[in-house]
Amino acid sequence: MLLKIIRYVRGYIRIRIAGYSAERFLNACSHRGIMLWGLTPAGRAYETNISIEGFRKLKPIIKKTGTKVSIVERFGLPFFLHKYRRRKMFFGGAFLFLALIFLMSRYIWNIDITGNQSYTDDTLLRYLETCDVKNGMPVGKVDCARIVKDIRKEYDDIIWVSASIRGTRLIIQVKENEDTIRQIDEAAAEEEDAGADQQAQATDIVADKDCVITKLVPRSGIPMVGEGAEVKAGDILVSGHVPVVDDGGTVIAYQSRVSDADIQGRTVIEYKDEMETGYEQKEYIYRKREHSSLKKVEYFLKIGKYDLRFGSIDNDYESWEMYAYEKQLRIGENFYLPVAYGKRTAKPYQSQAVKYTKNEIRQQLSGKFQRYCKDLEKKGVEIIENDVKIYTEPQKAEARGRLTVLMPVGTQTVSQAPEIPASEEQDETGE
């Protein structure tokens, strides 16, 4: 690639070599160090490329070998400049274009924000404008370290920010604290479990819903109920306080444990989902003769702060939609220009009330219910009885009923230490 650029800048010529001693001509060029490339046969002759300097050295070789050399085509910058040497306006425009490109490269024309989820791009861009960070500012005035500090100071949910300049782009990468909070919570939970014995912090497993216990396999703690027991939400299933008894069977102390068990219960889940039986259907308005959509179109060109518009979307439609498309010009990946073009379209429509058919209602409600059941299965819930039915009314339809399921039950809570019964001691003294 570099060699092609050098050859184009210096200029080169494609020549045709004819005669009976063409091979002798090629050997003579090689002997004198004249570079030839792109050699191809052309009937009874040959065609090849040669530099301008090499072409000037061919006269003695042509005379010695008796060959005939003719110019087929000229390439390169020297010939281009010679051809258009009288077009001063062209070269003036080219110079002005390069000067403008160089001038625009000294400013920021695109601010790209990635990694944001809770905050939209517009929200962050509006805040950056209050900090004098916006499109059109000089690159030399962009303080990336200051931008990072300002964003982290303004938004507590953003825990990591990176700002960098590439070409005419200001790239800002942010990371919100969702993953970090989860990691901190998990680390805290691991530390709590690992140090539970040292801190003597006992936890109980309590029922988080009314159910019938179908399985209880304790790993740590004392089971307070057995399989088949009916429990209410809040009842203790496994206690974290293990009693210590003396030889007479009297409780003299309790050992603290972090309760752990595999518990499953049978319970009933109420299910309800509803939808309207009708909806508004849009019918776009068409011209009667051409059978084409009746719409207004506006093209626009943005150059910096200026906006040139061609056409108009102004209308007196009762109901209409607007579609917009905008594209910013750029050279390569990171060299954005302060020029954008696009199109806006206003499309009128009429609303018509339409009723769902019974089959469509059933399909929609059944589809939502099936997705609900799949979500339950992912959580380890087994459905053993399904009593959900679809009921249709004039204005709405709903799926409601009960699901009998087997599912994991129990949640960890801090255990309240039970009272230790007071022991009676009688001291006997003798005189």
Side-chain angles (χ1 to χ4, degrees):
M1 184 63 184
L2 181 60
L3 183 59
K4 290 182 178 180
I5 295 175
I6 294 174
R7 287 173 176 172
Y8 179 83
V9 172
R10 292 181 176 179
Y12 63 93
I13 304 169
R14 187 159 186 84
I15 60 175
R16 177 172 294 176
I17 308 164
Y20 294 101
S21 302
E23 291 80 2
R24 186 181 175 189
F25 174 87
L26 298 176
N27 291 333
C29 289
S30 177
H31 180 71
R32 297 198 178 192
I34 300 175
M35 180 66 67
L36 304 175
W37 69 93
L39 180 65
T40 57
R44 295 183 178 181
Y46 294 95
E47 289 185 1
T48 185
N49 297 326
I50 186 172
S51 64
I52 297 176
E53 184 181 357
F55 181 78
R56 292 170 178 168
K57 299 178 180 179
L58 292 182
K59 187 173 181 180
I61 299 178
I62 295 173
K63 185 176 180 180
K64 185 176 182 180
T65 58
T67 53
K68 183 179 179 181
V69 175
S70 58
I71 297 175
V72 178
E73 195 171 356
R74 298 173 176 85
F75 302 94
L77 185 61
F79 300 108
F80 176 82
L81 295 177
H82 183 268
K83 182 178 180 181
Y84 297 102
R85 64 187 182 279
R86 295 182 180 178
R87 300 186 180 181
K88 298 179 180 179
M89 294 296 296
F90 172 79
F91 289 104
F95 175 79
L96 180 61
F97 173 77
L98 294 177
L100 288 175
I101 292 295
F102 175 77
L103 179 63
M104 288 187 292
S105 67
R106 312 306 299 171
Y107 295 85
I108 295 294
W109 299 115
N110 178 264
I111 300 177
D112 186 15
I113 303 175
T114 59
N116 51 315
Q117 296 179 356
S118 301
Y119 303 99
T120 63
D121 289 355
D122 291 337
T123 300
L124 296 175
L125 288 173
R126 283 196 296 268
Y127 170 71
L128 290 174
E129 285 186 5
T130 62
C131 302
D132 295 329
V133 178
K134 55 187 176 181
N135 286 328
M137 68 179 301
V139 174
K141 292 186 178 181
V142 178
D143 188 348
C144 293
R146 185 63 182 175
I147 293 173
V148 170
K149 292 180 180 179
D150 289 343
I151 294 178
R152 292 190 61 182
K153 183 179 180 181
E154 179 68 17
Y155 300 98
D156 295 334
D157 294 341
I158 297 178
I159 57 161
W160 180 83
V161 184
S162 172
S164 60
I165 299 175
R166 297 180 185 175
T168 60
R169 297 175 67 195
L170 173 59
I171 300 176
I172 300 176
Q173 297 174 312
V174 301
K175 185 175 182 182
E176 298 176 4
N177 65 353
E178 181 180 357
D179 294 337
T180 303
I181 288 178
R182 187 181 300 114
Q183 294 173 1
I184 293 174
D185 291 342
E186 292 175 355
E190 292 177 358
E191 292 177 0
E192 182 179 352
D193 292 340
D197 291 338
Q198 297 177 359
Q199 299 175 359
Q201 180 67 53
T203 61
D204 295 337
I205 299 179
V206 300
D208 52 358
K209 55 181 63 66
D210 299 346
C211 65
V212 176
I213 301 299
T214 58
K215 178 183 177 182
L216 196 156
V217 181
R219 298 187 183 90
S220 177
I222 299 297
M224 304 302 290
V225 297
E227 295 182 359
E230 294 185 7
V231 298
K232 300 292 184 180
D235 290 349
I236 298 176
L237 306 180
V238 180
S239 174
H241 284 93
V242 180
V244 179
V245 299
D246 58 11
D247 294 338
T250 303
V251 178
I252 60 174
Y254 287 94
Q255 293 182 348
S256 298
R257 294 287 185 270
V258 176
S259 299
D260 186 18
D262 184 8
I263 308 174
Q264 190 178 61
R266 184 177 72 251
T267 187
V268 175
I269 298 177
E270 298 288 342
Y271 178 82
K272 184 178 180 180
D273 182 30
E274 64 181 21
M275 61 174 287
E276 294 183 356
T277 57
Y279 64 97
E280 295 291 329
Q281 185 179 40
K282 295 179 181 179
E283 183 178 351
Y284 295 99
I285 302 175
Y286 291 89
R287 293 187 177 91
K288 295 182 178 179
R289 294 183 178 180
E290 296 86 350
H291 196 68
S292 60
S293 177
L294 183 64
K295 59 186 179 181
K296 296 269 189 177
V297 179
E298 176 185 87
Y299 298 92
F300 62 89
L301 176 66
K302 291 182 179 180
I303 304 176
K305 298 181 180 180
Y306 299 97
D307 192 355
L308 303 178
R309 299 182 182 183
F310 308 93
S312 175
I313 58 173
D314 295 337
N315 61 81
D316 55 358
Y317 304 142
E318 293 183 2
S319 302
W320 55 284
E321 295 176 341
M322 188 181 76
Y323 304 89
Y325 167 80
E326 183 175 332
K327 179 70 174 180
Q328 186 173 0
L329 297 183
R330 64 180 184 179
I331 300 174
E333 182 180 358
N334 296 314
F335 196 95
Y336 280 79
L337 301 175
V339 180
Y341 65 92
K343 174 183 176 183
R344 300 186 186 98
T345 304
K347 200 172 182 181
Y349 67 88
Q350 292 177 343
S351 297
Q352 182 180 2
V354 180
K355 288 283 187 180
Y356 288 111
T357 64
K358 291 184 178 180
N359 187 36
E360 290 175 338
I361 292 173
R362 183 174 297 276
Q363 287 180 353
Q364 289 198 35
L365 292 176
S366 298
K368 292 182 179 179
F369 177 69
Q370 290 175 3
R371 290 191 291 271
Y372 176 79
C373 292
K374 288 182 179 179
D375 291 339
L376 290 179
E377 292 176 359
K378 292 179 181 179
K379 298 176 182 178
V381 178
E382 179 184 355
I383 300 174
I384 59 178
E385 187 177 345
N386 179 3
D387 189 25
V388 177
K389 297 180 181 178
I390 296 176
Y391 302 90
T392 305
E393 299 177 5
Q395 300 299 327
K396 68 176 182 178
E398 63 179 15
R400 65 175 183 266
R402 294 184 174 184
L403 294 173
T404 304
V405 300
L406 294 176
M407 62 184 299
V409 296
T411 182
Q412 292 275 357
T413 61
V414 177
S415 179
Q416 299 296 329
E419 295 182 359
I420 301 174
S423 60
E424 296 182 358
E425 295 183 357
Q426 294 180 355
D427 295 334
E428 298 180 357
T429 59
E431 297 181 356

